Amino acid sequence: MVHKMISDRDDASDLVQEVFVNLYQSIEKEVVIEHPRSWLYKVSIHKCIDFTKKRQKHENIELFSQLKDEDNPLDNNEKKAVVRLALNRLTNDESMLAILYSEGLSYKEIAEITGIRFTSVGKTLSRTLTKLGNELKKLKYELY
Amino acid sequence: MNCIDEQLLQKYIDGECTELEITEVKQHLSVCPACTRRLAEGEKLSAEIKRALNFLTIDEIEIPAFRNIKTRSVNRNINLIIYSLSAACILLFVLFIVDNEIMPNQNEITIVQSIPLEVDANRPASDQDFVIEIYDGKGQRSEYFVK
């Protein structure tokens, strides 16, 4: 999940390590974590958002530079760059929602992690997916 | 009958509907081609977005172009061995002929110089006795005393 938000694998690994250090510290301080899975997702997402805020502009330039020729079909690296660019064009909450959805989480878990009301998850998700689909199409990504 | 709203449609796609909602949706879909179309599009979009996002975490493994290195190196080695052996055989054959024809066996003379153990290193060599043994080709031994 972290690697979906952070393109660099080493940075993603560092963030995951930080998350587990936080978990360890919370356990040491005897903090009660009711849903560890949701807790790990939540902390990871916030760390990813903090991280991307610092370097999103720089990353977008890098991603654009990876797109060589607009006329030719995209190779695998270009496809990844396009998906990341499209994700970066969403708000943090939207990209977080789309990624959690791609992880196969239930609406209940998504609501717990994101703070969206359970009854609104479907609607928010539907709009987010449509927006992401449109962004991908704008970047010439063949969805279907 | 009202069309299915986006919230319910997404829930239906993701299997989050209650039994009652599923019945309602199915009933509506049986009479509404527009919603059936929306459902098909929504299902495609959800599946494709998941696929696109999961594609981000797939590591590309670069497989180098296949080259039959082993076969080539074995062939080369075998050829090298064959050539080396051939060259060695020819060289041995030539040496054998040269040894027999140009340098035929001759009677050897072996000279062995023996120095007595009681040699005094402080005295000049000319003052001391030496024995020179000479063996001819027939093995006959001759001793020469040098004073």
Side-chain angles (χ1 to χ4, degrees), chain A residues 3-4 9 76 79-80 83-84 87 98 101-102 106-107 119 122-123 125-127 129-130 132-133 141 143-144, chain B residues 6-7 10-14 16 41-42 44-60:
Chain A
H3 188 39
K4 285 179 187 171
R9 185 167 275 282
N76 286 345
K79 275 185 189 171
K80 284 183 183 179
V83 175
R84 287 196 187 283
L87 269 179
Y101 180 66
S102 74
S106 67
Y107 282 15
T119 51
K123 196 201 291 183
L125 196 52
S126 171
R127 290 176 183 175
L129 296 182
T130 307
L132 181 56
Y141 187 95
L143 266 180
Y144 42 80
Chain B
E6 58 181 332
Q7 157 91 357
Q10 191 63 44
K11 276 174 76 178
Y12 185 77
I13 291 167
D14 296 327
E16 293 273 348
E41 283 173 9
K44 263 194 220 168
L45 180 68
S46 299
E48 284 297 314
I49 296 273
K50 277 185 182 174
R51 196 177 61 84
L53 291 176
N54 289 328
F55 182 67
L56 289 175
T57 54
I58 293 172
D59 283 329
E60 300 295 323

Side-chain angles (χ1 to χ4, degrees), chain B residues 44-105:
Chain B
K44 263 194 220 168
L45 180 68
S46 299
E48 284 297 314
I49 296 273
K50 277 185 182 174
R51 196 177 61 84
L53 291 176
N54 289 328
F55 182 67
L56 289 175
T57 54
I58 293 172
D59 283 329
E60 300 295 323
I61 299 169
E62 285 184 18
I63 301 170
F66 180 75
R67 285 191 304 164
N68 197 352
I69 296 164
K70 275 188 179 176
T71 309
R72 284 179 64 187
S73 73
V74 167
N75 283 342
R76 276 185 186 174
N77 287 341
I78 287 171
N79 287 340
L80 190 67
I81 290 166
I82 290 169
Y83 293 145
S84 306
L85 283 174
S86 307
C89 285
I90 291 166
L91 189 66
L92 281 173
F93 183 69
V94 168
L95 283 177
F96 180 75
I97 289 170
V98 168
D99 190 40
N100 280 295
E101 291 184 1
I102 301 174
M103 297 168 66
N105 282 339

Side-chain angles (χ1 to χ4, degrees), chain B residues 123-142:
Chain B
R123 285 169 57 207
S126 56
D127 292 354
Q128 298 182 62
D129 297 343
F130 290 93
V131 179
I132 295 173
E133 294 175 6
I134 295 177
Y135 295 87
D136 62 13
K138 292 172 186 171
Q140 210 167 359
R141 177 170 165 270
S142 309

